[in-house]
Amino acid sequence: MRSDEVKCGVERAAHRALLQSLGLTRKDFSKPFIGIANSYTSVVPGHIHLQRLGEAVKEGILAAGGTPFEFNTIAVCDGIAMGHEGMRYSLPSRELIADSVEVMMQAHRLDGMVMISNCDKVTPGMLMAASRIDVPAISVTGGAMKSGVLNGRKVGVDQVFEATGQAFAGKISDEELAKLEEVACPGCGSCNGLFTANTMACLTEALGMSLPYCATSLAVSAAKQRIAKESGSKIVELVRNGVKPSTIMTKEAFMNAVVVDTALGGSSNTVLHLSAIAKEAGISLPIMTFDDISRKVPHLASMVPSGPHDMEELDNAGGIPAIMKELKKFLHIDALTVTEKTVWENIKDAQVVDAEVIRPLTNPVHKEGGIAILKGNLAPKGAVVKAVAVSPKMLKHTGPAKVYDSEHEAEAAMKRLEVKAGDVVVIRYEGPKGGPGMPEMLIPTATISGMGLSESVALITDGRFSGATRGGCIGHVAPEAAEGGPIAVIQNGDSITIDVPNRIINVDLSEQELKNRLSKWKPRPPKITKGYLARYQPTPAE
C-alpha cells in the first residue's frame, strides 16, 4: 500500500510517532489509510450538512477495516457569489480544490479517498484530482435541498433571481419579494433543480464514480446517510482490490456521462467541467462531442429551471439508474463503476416509477438533447447553449446588438429599461482571461426573464451562465474578447443571427469589415494585477 511509505520500517519511526499522537494504535497501521476530502463550510447551503456525511463515511471506513483521515477543501456558493466581484473566483476555485486534494493525498501517501462534495466547482475539482493522482476513489455528492412552497406553488432560488427583474419592471412589490425570499430555500442542500451542482452529481453517478442513487437522494434524507456509510465501506474494498479511477473514468464512461447530460437537459457548465476532468484523465473530449450526442439522444426529463420537476421528483421517479436504463441503447453498459460491477449490472433492476418525470424514448420532451454547440463568424471556435431551455420562439432570432463591456454595465442598462424586445444583448470581456475567471451571468439572464423578455431578447457572452439560466442565452463564445475574438469588435446596432437548430451564430458583417475591425483592436490592460485571479489575466506576450 502507498501508506507503507509513511508507516513501515525503522526509518519511519518518527512518522509513526506523529501518527500515534493523533490517537492511532499499532493495529491502525496495518489497515488502509483512507483520506476523506470533505468540503464542509458553514457559509454554503449545499455544504453545511457535509460534516454529518463525513461521520457516516468514517463509520463505513472503520467497519470495513480502514483508518480514516479527514481534511477539508474550500467551497464557493455560486448563488451567494453571483452578480459581484466574488463570482470571478468561482470557476478558478475548481483548480484550487483539485490542487488541494492532490497535495493532501500525495503528501500523506493515503491509499484511497472518499470525496464529499456538492456545489458547482467542488465536485468537478475533486474528480479532477482523482483523475490526476489515480488512487482508488469514490464520490459522495451531498444532495439537493427540498423545494420551497409559496401559495401552493413550488419555488426555488431561480425564482428569486427572476423576481429581481420583476421588481425592476414594477411587476411585484417589495413585500411579495420578501415573502418569496423567506421560503425559496427551505434547508440544506444544493439548489432544488437541475442546476450545475445537481447536474454534476448526476454525471458523477453516470461516470461510475458514485454509488447508484447517490446523485438524486436529498441532502436531508436517510438514504443519503446510508449511501455515505456504504461509500466508506466500499472505498476500503476498492483499495484492497486495486480499482483506480483510471479503470472507471474511461472514454466510454465519459460518453455515458454526456448521454445522461443531454437526456436530462443539464447545465451548460458541464461542457467546461467534463472536459477538464477528461483532460486530467488523459482523454480527449472535443466540444463537438456534446453536440454530436445531443443530436442523437432525446431529452427525457423536463427539470427545473426550464421544466416543472425538481430533484426530489427525479429521485422518486427512479433516479439516474432508471434514466440510464431507458437510455441503455446509447450507453456503454459494460463500463466498470465503483460498485465493481458494470453499468448494466447496476441498472438492470431499475424502474421508471413516474413516466411524466422520466419520459420513455417513444415520448421525449424534445427529440434532441440538452446541449447545442453553435459556430459562425461571431464564434469561430464555438459557443454553448442549453438548447432545451430555449423557447421555440427564440430558436431562430435576428436582432440588433446592444453591447456591454461587463456584466455590471449590462445590469445597469437593464435597470434603466434600455433593453427592448428583439435586442441581442452582448456581454464581453467576461471570459476566463477577460473576466478574469469567466463569471456566471445569472443576474442578467434572470432579469431578462423577470422583465418578461425571455421570448424576445437573446444574450450572448464570452462568460458563462448559471445552471439556473433559461432562455436564448449563448455562452462560452470563443475566442473571447480579451484574446481578440470577433465578439470584441461587435458594435451597437450590428445585426446578429442565432439559429440553434442549424447551430449558427453570425454577425451580419462582411469578412473584410470584420477583418478591418479586428486589425484595429488592441488588448485591454488587466483588470486585476495581484492575487489569485491575476494568473488568469493575459500577459503582453499573449
Side-chain angles (χ1 to χ4, degrees), residues 521-534:
W521 175 84
K522 293 182 180 179
R524 297 190 168 201
K527 295 177 185 175
I528 295 173
T529 57
K530 64 179 181 179
Y532 181 52
L533 291 183

Side-chain angles (χ1 to χ4, degrees), residues 227-517:
I227 288 169
K229 189 171 182 178
E230 290 166 1
S231 297
S233 296
K234 192 63 195 179
I235 189 61
V236 178
E237 293 179 29
L238 293 173
V239 168
R240 287 175 173 153
N241 296 333
V243 179
K244 299 179 180 181
S246 57
T247 63
I248 295 170
M249 286 194 281
T250 60
K251 180 76 171 182
E252 291 74 18
F254 280 98
M255 294 298 100
N256 287 347
V258 177
V259 167
V260 171
D261 186 18
T262 57
L264 286 172
S267 167
S268 60
N269 283 317
T270 58
V271 176
L272 293 171
H273 297 323
L274 280 180
S275 300
I277 299 164
K279 184 177 180 181
E280 294 287 357
I283 292 168
S284 174
L285 194 63
I287 188 173
M288 293 309 297
T289 302
F290 293 85
D291 197 77
D292 293 342
I293 290 177
S294 197
R295 286 179 182 271
K296 299 172 186 174
V297 177
H299 177 211
L300 300 184
S302 187
M303 301 291 295
V304 171
S306 53
H309 303 300
D310 62 12
M311 291 302 293
E312 184 173 12
E313 289 171 298
L314 182 60
D315 189 53
N316 291 338
I320 300 307
I323 200 164
M324 290 183 78
K325 188 174 182 181
E326 188 65 30
L327 294 164
K328 62 182 181 296
K329 76 174 186 178
F330 299 107
L331 298 173
H332 296 276
I333 59 173
D334 293 330
L336 185 68
T337 72
V338 289
T339 64
E340 297 186 80
K341 298 176 182 178
T342 65
V343 167
W344 178 245
E345 288 175 305
N346 287 345
I347 68 174
K348 62 184 175 64
D349 295 325
Q351 291 185 337
V352 174
V353 179
D354 188 339
E356 285 300 312
V357 178
I358 300 175
R359 298 275 196 94
L361 291 174
T362 54
N363 183 32
V365 183
H366 297 97
K367 292 181 179 180
E368 292 189 359
I371 299 292
I373 307 300
L374 312 186
K375 287 191 175 183
N377 66 354
L378 184 49
K381 292 186 178 179
V384 181
V385 62
K386 187 174 177 179
V388 296
V390 181
S391 163
K393 297 179 181 178
M394 290 297 292
L395 290 173
K396 292 185 178 183
H397 179 80
T398 298
K402 288 277 183 73
V403 182
Y404 305 97
D405 286 344
S406 72
E407 176 188 8
H408 300 307
E409 285 184 26
E411 288 174 23
M414 290 174 190
K415 290 178 184 178
R416 296 191 298 267
L417 305 181
E418 290 180 6
V419 175
K420 307 295 183 184
D423 287 343
V424 178
V425 176
V426 177
I427 303 177
R428 62 192 179 192
Y429 293 102
E430 294 289 15
K433 294 179 179 179
M438 204 178 188
E440 289 184 342
M441 304 285 163
L442 179 56
I443 288 184
T445 60
T447 301
I448 287 171
S449 293
M451 294 171 70
L453 298 173
S454 62
E455 294 190 343
S456 59
V457 169
L459 190 155
I460 67 173
T461 181
D462 53 7
R464 61 195 179 89
F465 295 116
S466 163
T469 292
R470 60 190 178 94
C473 302
I474 295 94
H476 308 196
V477 169
E480 63 174 295
E483 292 183 324
I487 192 174
V489 296
I490 302 302
Q491 297 175 3
N492 283 322
D494 287 345
S495 180
I496 293 175
T497 294
I498 297 161
D499 185 340
V500 176
N502 291 305
R503 308 306 202 250
I504 293 169
I505 180 167
N506 278 329
V507 58
D508 186 17
L509 296 174
S510 68
E511 185 178 346
Q512 187 59 49
E513 172 63 17
L514 198 53
K515 186 176 180 180
N516 289 342
R517 289 189 189 182

Side-chain angles (χ1 to χ4, degrees), residues 78-120:
D78 281 21
I80 296 173
M82 195 71 66
H84 53 80
E85 289 303 299
M87 177 45 69
R88 303 193 188 283
Y89 289 85
S90 175
L91 184 56
S93 75
R94 187 186 69 185
E95 273 57 43
L96 273 179
I97 291 160
D99 291 348
S100 65
V101 172
E102 176 192 1
V103 166
M104 290 298 290
M105 290 295 297
Q106 297 290 61
H108 301 102
R109 312 312 291 158
L110 303 176
D111 298 305
M113 72 171 164
V114 180
M115 304 169 287
I116 306 177
S117 63
N118 212 15
C119 287
D120 299 29

